[in-house]
Amino acid sequence: EIYTLSLHDALPIYELFFVSIPLLLVIAFAGGGFWYYRNNILPEVLFQTADRHFRAGEFEEAVVQYRKVFRLKPERRDTLLRMGQALERQGKDSEAIFAYERHLETRPKDADTLILLGELYLRMGRHEDALGPLERASRLVPKRGEVRYLLGRVYRHQVRRSEERRVGKECRS
């Protein structure tokens, strides 16, 4: 007996093919849309939410939102800078320093962050640590008065320390 394939016998294969292809396209489109939202839209929405909290003085909530942004999109500009500013306003100076330094790893010529870091070190009484960032900032923006003022404070402190050492040596001898 000769077996022939009729259209009726092959129809389920065509149905399966024509149903599965559109279904796969829908799944791919939905997955791609979710990926795009998670990687591009959501970090921006969270960053704007964090900025609103920051402007409202809600620094703790702002830090929470900035951390979410950083987890989703670590390359997002200024996330670490803004997080550092919010941490600094909460009095979490060591965490703020860490955030500023991480920001400077990706943007080493950011004079504003160098100045913020230098100011924070000065406020903490860490004059020697403040010298590096402030000198780098002065090379980037040599005419900015704020940098010259802060460097002057560091240099005056160093002169005082060297003067104290000299006087201490004279007293001991």
Side-chain angles (χ1 to χ4, degrees):
E1 166 178 338
I2 299 177
Y3 184 74
T4 61
L5 188 63
S6 70
L7 183 60
H8 178 70
D9 294 333
L11 195 57
I13 294 172
Y14 286 120
E15 284 176 0
L16 182 65
F17 179 76
F18 286 114
V19 168
S20 63
I21 293 299
L23 184 62
L24 286 174
L25 288 173
V26 167
I27 291 170
F29 182 75
F34 176 75
W35 176 86
Y36 182 80
Y37 174 79
R38 185 181 184 284
N39 290 319
N40 294 304
I41 308 283
L42 183 60
E44 289 307 310
V45 169
L46 291 172
F47 190 85
Q48 290 171 5
T49 303
D51 272 351
R52 277 195 302 277
H53 287 296
F54 185 89
R55 287 190 301 275
E58 302 164 351
F59 302 117
E60 197 167 313
E61 184 58 32
V63 169
V64 169
Q65 298 300 319
Y66 287 129
R67 284 189 172 136
K68 287 179 183 178
V69 173
F70 187 72
R71 269 195 305 276
L72 289 172
K73 195 169 187 176
E75 67 276 7
R76 168 71 169 82
R77 275 182 62 173
D78 297 337
T79 303
L80 288 168
L81 170 62
R82 300 292 285 174
M83 188 188 317
Q85 289 172 322
L87 288 165
E88 186 177 348
R89 299 230 170 101
Q90 290 181 54
K92 298 179 179 179
D93 295 340
S94 58
E95 291 179 53
I97 287 171
F98 181 74
Y100 289 150
E101 288 176 346
R102 291 276 311 266
H103 174 76
L104 288 168
E105 287 173 9
T106 59
R107 298 187 61 204
K109 293 185 178 185
D110 186 349
D112 292 329
T113 304
L114 289 166
I115 293 168
L116 287 170
L117 183 58
E119 279 181 309
L120 183 54
Y121 279 136
L122 281 175
R123 234 183 0 266
M124 295 173 72
R126 295 171 55 180
H127 293 78
E128 293 77 21
D129 293 328
L131 185 60
L134 291 173
E135 284 183 336
R136 283 175 43 204
S138 73
R139 285 192 294 276
L140 293 169
V141 286
K143 295 185 180 185
R144 196 153 162 193
E146 177 184 16
V147 178
R148 291 195 307 244
Y149 168 76
L150 293 171
L151 271 173
R153 284 181 53 196
V154 172
Y155 293 147
R156 280 192 301 278
H157 182 266
Q158 286 182 331
V159 167
R160 242 183 287 137
R161 294 288 307 243
S162 64
E163 192 63 27
E164 287 171 3
R165 282 191 212 111
R166 188 184 59 76
V167 170
K169 285 180 186 177
E170 288 175 1
C171 290
R172 277 183 255 144
S173 51

